[in-house]
């Protein structure tokens, strides 16, 4: 099969479009023919070696932890899926990824893909939506009427977080630069904030939940907008427990994890029209380098997806 692999850590030039062995499903695992793979910042962070002390990856390593495709083969004991099922999922990021014609995934990490989305759009959903879901619902226990501040509401995680928070009945503040203010309004943000023109703490006050997707100064300044008992969630940098105690708030670093069960819930929401991915760019698998450059700019809105097989079923064979 064809795959985008790395043989060492480094810049986009270490991404190689080449032949790789087709994996075999073991007990409890499913072989999926990948139709599309979503691109996330974790892909280039792994490529650069940022995660090497946490995840036991070996070379050559296939990147990409978002997929939509079709079940091709079942390992022993698989009971939830059958051959031919259209599935989507966030595979275990400590294992190899989905920038490939095929991937082996545990059945617990998959769900049937939303009927209303074709594979490209479905592949953009799992990692970012699970992150938003697990942050707002599992960790912060968001309640209707609460006031939520979402940093980077236009980003991959942010645009799903805004929609999920609105669906739960929250009052939502979200930040982006000037060019994405209309997008924030379209997503349903109650008070869009242009971080290039305003200080978010001048607009967002008495906040129950802050979702920090930026870190650094943005995280530091976020403490002041929280009401007592509120919670600061970060996806990028563990917030200070001491500071949280001092202010009478809660703080948590969220590390998202695979969940087929939550993806099944998310598929229902998508099919009922309550949640939708925004796709910024679709590129062929062979152009993964370009996709990484775009993602690494830190200023794309919505999601980037890689087309792994063409709509007529023939696989991408173009050499990068
Ligand atoms: N811990 C976890 O499990 C987990 C899971 C998922 C993601 N993450 C991390 O979370 C971060 C965000 O991920 P993502 O997929 O949402 O990234 P992304 O899609 O690349 O985010 C891009 C967005 O960030 C906005 N942005 C950039 N600087 C900003 C600022 N100072 N204030 C507000 N918005 C700003 C941009 O809007 P403008 O162009 O308008 O500036 C752009 O729309 C990444 O570091 C990722 O690795 C962690």
């Amino acid at each position: 099969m064809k795959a985008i692999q790395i043989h060492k850590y480094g810049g986009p030039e270490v991404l190689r479009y080449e032949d790789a062995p087709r994996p075999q499903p073991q007990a409890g695992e499913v072989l999926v023919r990948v139709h599309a793979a979503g691109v996330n910042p974790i892909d280039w962070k792994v490529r650069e070696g940022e995660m090497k002390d946490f995840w036991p990856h070996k070379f050559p390593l296939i990147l990409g932890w978002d997929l939509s495709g079709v079940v091709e083969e079942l390992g022993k004991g698989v009971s939830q899926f059958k051959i031919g099922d259209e599935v989507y999922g966030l595979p275990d990021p400590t294992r190899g990824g989905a920038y490939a014609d095929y991937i082996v995934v545990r059945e617990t990490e998959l769900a049937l893909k939303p009927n209303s989305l074709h594979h490209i759009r479905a592949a953009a959903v799992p990692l970012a939506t699970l992150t938003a879901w697990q942050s707002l619902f599992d960790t912060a226990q968001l309640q209707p009427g609460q006031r939520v501040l979402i940093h980077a509401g236009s980003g991959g995680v942010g645009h799903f977080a805004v929609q999920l928070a609105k669906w739960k009945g929250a009052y939502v503040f979200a930040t982006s630069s000037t060019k994405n203010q209309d997008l924030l309004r379209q997503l349903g943000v109650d008070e869009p904030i242009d971080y290039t023109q305003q200080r978010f703490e001048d607009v967002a006050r008495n906040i129950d939940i802050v979702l920090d997707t930026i870190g650094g100064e943005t995280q530091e300044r976020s403490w002041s907008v929280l009401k007592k008992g509120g919670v600061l969630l970060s996806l990028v940098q563990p917030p200070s427990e001491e500071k949280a105690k001092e202010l009478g708030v809660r703080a948590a670093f969220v590390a998202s994890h695979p969940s087929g069960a939550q993806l099944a819930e998310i598929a229902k929401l998508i099919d009922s029209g309550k949640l939708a991915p925004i796709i910024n760019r679709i590129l062929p698998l062979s152009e993964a380098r370009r996709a990484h450059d775009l993602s690494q700019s830190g200023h794309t809105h919505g999601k980037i997806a890689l087309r792994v097989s063409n709509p007529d079923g023939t696989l991408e064979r173009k050499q990068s």
Side-chain angles (χ1 to χ4, degrees):
M1 67 170 190
K2 284 289 182 195
I4 294 279
Q5 303 197 114
I6 62 170
H7 294 253
K8 60 178 182 183
Y9 296 122
E13 70 285 352
V14 302
L15 296 172
R16 281 165 48 174
Y17 185 64
E18 59 191 9
D19 290 318
R22 181 170 149 171
Q24 282 293 317
Q26 304 300 310
E29 297 176 340
V30 169
L31 177 72
V32 178
R33 167 144 174 228
V34 180
H35 281 237
V39 175
N40 293 283
I42 195 64
D43 303 1
W44 50 262
K45 290 181 183 180
V46 168
R47 190 201 70 215
E48 291 195 329
E50 255 188 64
M51 306 304 293
K52 67 175 189 286
D53 296 334
F54 309 102
W55 292 343
H57 289 140
K58 289 198 184 85
F59 297 125
L61 171 67
I62 299 174
L63 301 177
W65 290 278
D66 248 346
L67 70 98
S68 184
V70 175
V71 173
E72 178 107 355
E73 209 179 307
L74 305 174
K76 275 198 187 122
V78 169
S79 59
Q80 296 178 56
F81 301 101
K82 58 182 188 316
I83 291 169
D85 278 348
E86 296 192 296
V87 292
Y88 76 143
L90 157 61
D92 179 349
T94 68
R95 312 203 312 178
Y99 288 2
D101 291 341
Y102 294 92
I103 183 174
V104 160
V105 186
R106 294 185 191 102
E107 70 167 330
T108 52
E109 294 161 359
L110 292 171
L112 293 175
K113 107 177 155 49
N115 277 323
S116 55
L117 299 184
H118 56 67
H119 288 291
I120 294 273
R121 288 168 63 74
V125 171
L127 190 149
T129 317
L130 285 173
T131 304
W133 182 285
Q134 291 165 6
S135 301
L136 296 175
F137 301 159
D138 295 349
T139 308
Q141 307 273 316
L142 172 65
Q143 300 301 314
Q146 286 193 318
R147 291 161 68 85
V148 180
L149 168 61
I150 294 162
H151 287 297
S154 50
V157 175
H159 86 290
F160 286 119
V162 166
Q163 295 177 71
L164 289 175
K166 287 304 299 175
W167 170 65
K168 269 281 155 137
Y171 188 84
V172 178
F173 299 78
T175 59
S176 78
S177 69
T178 314
K179 69 180 193 303
N180 285 318
Q181 292 294 295
D182 282 346
L183 174 66
L184 294 185
R185 279 185 209 100
Q186 283 160 25
L187 289 167
V189 171
D190 296 288
E191 299 204 31
I193 302 169
D194 180 348
Y195 70 82
T196 68
Q197 304 292 322
Q198 297 162 290
R199 288 171 63 79
F200 62 81
E201 52 277 52
D202 293 340
V203 182
R205 296 201 181 87
N206 285 317
I207 298 294
D208 294 283
I209 301 167
V210 175
L211 181 60
D212 165 35
T213 60
I214 304 290
E217 191 209 332
T218 299
Q219 183 182 104
E220 208 39 55
R221 286 167 44 206
S222 292
W223 294 108
S224 69
V225 308
L226 283 169
K227 62 162 69 151
K228 274 230 176 326
V231 52
L232 173 55
L233 303 173
S234 183
L235 302 180
V236 287
Q237 180 189 327
S240 157
E241 289 293 337
E242 269 174 32
K243 183 93 184 179
K245 223 180 211 169
E246 190 186 304
L247 295 171
V249 299
R250 208 153 60 84
F253 176 76
V254 178
S256 58
H257 56 86
S259 171
Q262 289 180 339
L263 284 177
E265 291 296 306
I266 288 164
K268 279 189 219 155
L269 267 189
I270 290 173
D271 284 339
S272 65
K274 297 195 174 78
L275 185 71
I278 290 176
I279 309 294
N280 174 293
R281 195 71 73 91
I282 301 166
L283 293 166
L285 179 64
S286 54
E287 291 187 30
R289 284 182 192 170
R290 219 167 116 217
H292 277 216
D293 283 341
L294 284 167
S295 172
Q296 213 159 350
S297 76
H299 292 287
T300 52
H301 67 268
K303 300 286 306 175
I304 301 164
L306 295 171
R307 192 187 321 110
V308 180
S309 66
N310 289 324
D312 67 358
T314 54
L315 298 175
E316 281 290 341
R317 288 283 180 247
K318 220 171 85 192
Q319 187 65 40
S320 58

